[in-house]
Amino acid sequence: VSHQRTDWISIHSRICHLLIPVLGPQPCFHSEKDRKHGKEQLLRRQESLIAVALSTAQGFLWAGKPLEAIPAALQALRFSSQVFGSGSVQLVPIFLLLAEASTGTGRLRQAAKYLSQAQWIVLQTPDCSAALQSKMYRGLGLFSIAEGNLDQALYHLANDVYLATAEFGLNSVEVSGGYFHMANIFFHQNKMDTANALYTEV
């Protein structure tokens, strides 16, 4: 019952009206033109569902409610897998979001699985953008912090900063997140000069 309640609060109350035309029986079309139009309409509905589920999950994470973010992110993953395929690069941001939410709820083993799936897809995609790789390394860095492995976290966050810089430029706001998390680590290690230099950079 508690799982159902969490699921309802998280996502189903928002997407119930969108699920019926997607999951219900599809109409029978008599012409190729109508069939093509029907497929396009179904795809638009699925993409709309994915967008609502993903933004809802992200909203819960930003609000500090990782438990509520998980059902919404799982819905986004479910429909993204159907639309784009289970090995598609479009699934990477969802896996990273699920990993962050799982880490936030203390489910580190589950978070590690989601990160592995994200990494595997990135490795299988030779033309994967530096921006997406940067996000992946940031996710790995935050996970390493949660595990208490600060040296490993610094390695991942340095990769995050490098890739974000390559994609967006040296003084872009996208780079600041990696610097910020690195600064927090140096602050925790009482390396104040390095920490302050990075905070200033942020």
Side-chain angles (χ1 to χ4, degrees), residues 5 15 33 48 51 56 60 85 89 108 118 123 145 162 170 184:
R5 192 179 299 117
I15 64 168
K33 183 183 174 185
S48 175
T56 301
F60 277 123
V89 76
L108 296 185
L123 290 169
I145 291 170
Y162 172 77
L170 195 60
N184 286 342

Side-chain angles (χ1 to χ4, degrees), residues 14-183:
R14 291 169 174 82
I15 64 168
C16 234
H17 63 289
L18 298 170
L19 285 171
I20 296 163
V22 171
L23 298 179
Q26 298 303 307
C28 184
F29 298 108
H30 299 294
S31 71
E32 185 59 37
K33 183 183 174 185
D34 288 343
R35 268 193 293 278
K36 188 180 176 187
H37 177 70
K39 279 184 179 179
E40 287 170 358
Q41 203 171 28
L42 177 63
L43 181 62
R44 278 196 299 272
R45 286 173 175 158
Q46 288 172 321
E47 287 173 342
S48 175
L49 262 172
I50 293 164
V52 170
L54 203 50
S55 65
T56 301
Q58 191 66 71
F60 277 123
L61 260 187
W62 286 337
K65 298 177 178 177
L67 187 64
E68 285 87 343
I70 291 171
L74 287 172
Q75 284 295 334
L77 181 64
R78 175 188 175 192
F79 286 104
S80 293
S81 298
Q82 287 176 6
V83 172
F84 305 113
S86 60
S88 168
V89 76
Q90 279 92 341
L91 271 60
V92 172
I94 305 171
F95 280 129
L96 294 176
L97 201 151
L98 279 164
E100 190 178 342
S102 297
T103 302
T105 58
R107 300 170 185 169
L108 296 185
R109 187 177 292 179
Q110 188 62 50
K113 286 180 184 176
Y114 289 133
L115 284 169
S116 299
Q117 288 171 297
Q119 265 186 303
W120 186 84
I121 293 171
V122 167
L123 290 169
Q124 298 298 312
T125 312
D127 58 344
C128 184
S129 70
L132 192 57
Q133 291 181 64
S134 164
K135 284 182 181 177
M136 184 194 73
Y137 277 109
R138 187 170 302 177
L140 289 166
L142 293 174
F143 177 74
S144 296
I145 291 170
E147 279 193 314
N149 191 343
L150 299 185
D151 289 338
Q152 187 72 26
L154 286 171
Y155 169 78
H156 290 312
L157 292 168
N159 279 320
D160 165 27
V161 168
Y162 172 77
L163 290 159
T165 301
E167 183 79 12
F168 303 107
L170 195 60
N171 295 318
S172 65
V173 73
E174 287 83 0
V175 180
S176 64
Y179 280 137
F180 179 74
H181 294 300
M182 290 175 80

